[in-house]
Amino acid sequence: MKNIPTDLLRTFTTIKDLNGFTSAGDALGRSQPAISLQIKKLEILLNTQIFVRGSHLELTADGEELYKLAAQILQLNDSLIEKFHSDTVYGKIKLGIPNDYELAFLPEIIKGLTNRYPNILIEVDCDISKNIYQKFQKHQFDICLAMQPLEEFSGFSPENYLIEELKWGYTQNLSLQGKELPLVTYPNGCLYRKITEKALTDANIPFRIVYTSPSLLGIVSAVEKGLGITAMARSVIPRQLTSNTFLSEDLPNMDKVGVGFYYRESELTSAGKLTLDYLRAGLRSLRVDDLPIELSKYCS
């Protein structure tokens, strides 16, 4: 009788949960070649193909069935371990994050984390980065993700931050009346707003603020209605705002920024360290993805 090692099943389900071999490797502390080797071993053991060859993480019919069964097996395994171990991982983690990055990767990452560690509770607060960082300094968060000028991340470990290029976003519905360029922005204090205003001023392009909202969905809705243009990080700007080119030659380039994690290493619990590992994997997924996100994927 053959036995299926649970570490192979855990690797497989983590790949599915985090949508990537590299992200799974980050979460499990293994290299991508090691992750690929484990999947190969699992396929040989079960005498089947799990992933559709040539596709981006699409499961075969057997792979879909295996995922359901593997999740049940791992849940039973983890429940058994928790029952007989006093060091079960549990706790509440307070996380601060800008709402555009929340939509970009957080739901899928938290789903994978809480499926694996059901006793970890994540409490999320969304705001502009300036406010999030100030709250972190007041010890209101265990971990926060904040956007800062790139020089602020000097000395940071590469796994803790991402260099972002800002992109202009607008649609064919844009109504240009008068000599001033209409801007749709986040509230005052937002780094996006500061950089766009500076870029337009330096380029001698007159502008006016026509709509301000703290919500990503509010910003996107206003831009889609043609109220004005906006700017966001390349990895999180919705696709529907970047498919237009009629203004591209008239708009200036903007300074790059950094977005990264702030935390106090000595104060992180086991639950906090696990959460941080998963969050790093989520941020890394934005680094390797060359396409802007489809907002509807996260809002359906």
Side-chain angles (χ1 to χ4, degrees):
M1 179 69 70
K2 293 182 179 180
N3 294 307
I4 303 175
T6 54
D7 61 331
L8 300 185
L9 296 179
R10 197 175 299 279
T11 295
F12 166 61
T13 58
T14 303
I15 292 171
K16 171 66 173 174
D17 291 339
L18 299 185
N19 196 34
F21 279 64
T22 302
S23 298
D26 289 344
L28 297 173
R30 296 190 178 96
S31 66
Q32 185 171 340
I35 293 293
S36 298
L37 181 60
Q38 285 193 305
I39 293 302
K40 184 177 181 180
K41 287 181 178 179
L42 186 57
E43 288 182 327
I44 292 173
L45 181 63
L46 297 176
N47 192 31
T48 191
Q49 186 174 308
I50 299 173
F51 292 99
V52 177
R53 297 295 183 253
S55 70
H56 182 62
L57 297 177
E58 181 182 354
L59 295 179
T60 62
D62 282 349
E64 293 286 358
E65 184 65 16
L66 175 61
Y67 179 76
K68 297 175 185 177
L69 296 174
Q72 295 175 22
I73 292 171
L74 290 172
Q75 185 176 11
L76 289 172
N77 176 85
D78 294 347
S79 296
L80 184 63
I81 295 297
E82 290 173 8
K83 183 176 179 63
F84 293 100
H85 279 255
S86 59
D87 57 346
T88 302
V89 179
Y90 66 92
K92 177 191 292 186
I93 304 302
K94 295 183 178 180
L95 169 68
I97 188 170
N99 61 7
D100 44 0
Y101 285 91
E102 179 201 19
L103 291 174
F105 71 84
L106 192 61
E108 200 66 28
I109 289 295
I110 298 303
K111 176 184 176 183
L113 172 66
T114 55
N115 281 347
R116 191 63 40 78
Y117 302 99
N119 293 320
I120 295 179
L121 174 64
I122 310 297
E123 186 176 290
V124 181
D125 184 6
C126 296
D127 205 335
I128 62 174
S129 289
K130 179 181 178 180
N131 295 341
I132 288 171
Y133 184 64
Q134 288 177 346
K135 291 179 181 178
F136 173 77
Q137 289 181 309
K138 295 177 181 178
H139 291 256
Q140 294 181 23
F141 298 128
D142 300 298
I143 304 168
C144 83
L145 180 70
M147 180 176 288
Q148 304 272 27
L150 195 53
E151 58 268 20
E152 294 294 324
F153 293 97
S154 175
F156 269 53
S157 170
E159 65 184 355
N160 281 331
Y161 79 104
L162 175 67
I163 298 175
E164 286 278 25
E165 178 183 1
L166 300 193
K167 292 290 187 180
W168 296 104
Y170 51 91
T171 69
Q172 298 288 348
N173 296 329
L174 178 62
S175 177
L176 294 174
Q177 298 178 353
K179 297 181 179 180
E180 294 177 318
L181 190 66
L183 285 185
V184 175
T185 74
Y186 284 99
N188 218 357
C190 173
L191 190 57
Y192 286 151
R193 178 168 175 167
K194 180 179 179 181
I195 290 176
T196 55
E197 290 180 349
K198 180 179 183 299
L200 292 172
T201 299
D202 290 348
N204 295 315
I205 298 176
F207 64 90
R208 60 191 174 93
I209 306 295
V210 298
Y211 190 93
T212 300
S213 173
S215 162
L216 173 62
L217 298 182
I219 295 288
V220 172
S221 178
V223 174
E224 286 187 319
K225 295 298 183 182
L227 293 183
I229 71 169
T230 193
M232 294 182 196
R234 171 181 169 274
S235 68
V236 299
I237 189 167
R239 188 185 306 274
Q240 63 266 36
L241 304 188
T242 61
S243 57
N244 306 280
T245 59
F246 65 93
L247 279 180
S248 57
E249 294 182 359
D250 300 319
L251 295 172
N253 292 326
M254 293 171 281
D255 293 338
K256 292 182 179 179
V257 298
V259 58
F261 293 111
Y262 291 88
Y263 55 93
R264 300 174 183 87
E265 182 79 42
S266 62
E267 297 179 13
L268 281 184
T269 62
S270 297
K273 292 175 182 178
L274 280 169
T275 301
L276 180 60
D277 286 341
Y278 272 73
L279 292 171
R280 284 168 172 163
L283 193 64
R284 182 182 177 88
S285 72
L286 299 184
R287 182 183 295 124
V288 299
D289 187 2
D290 196 43
L291 296 173
I293 66 168
E294 187 67 54
L295 188 66
S296 61
K297 175 181 177 183
Y298 302 99
C299 303
S300 57

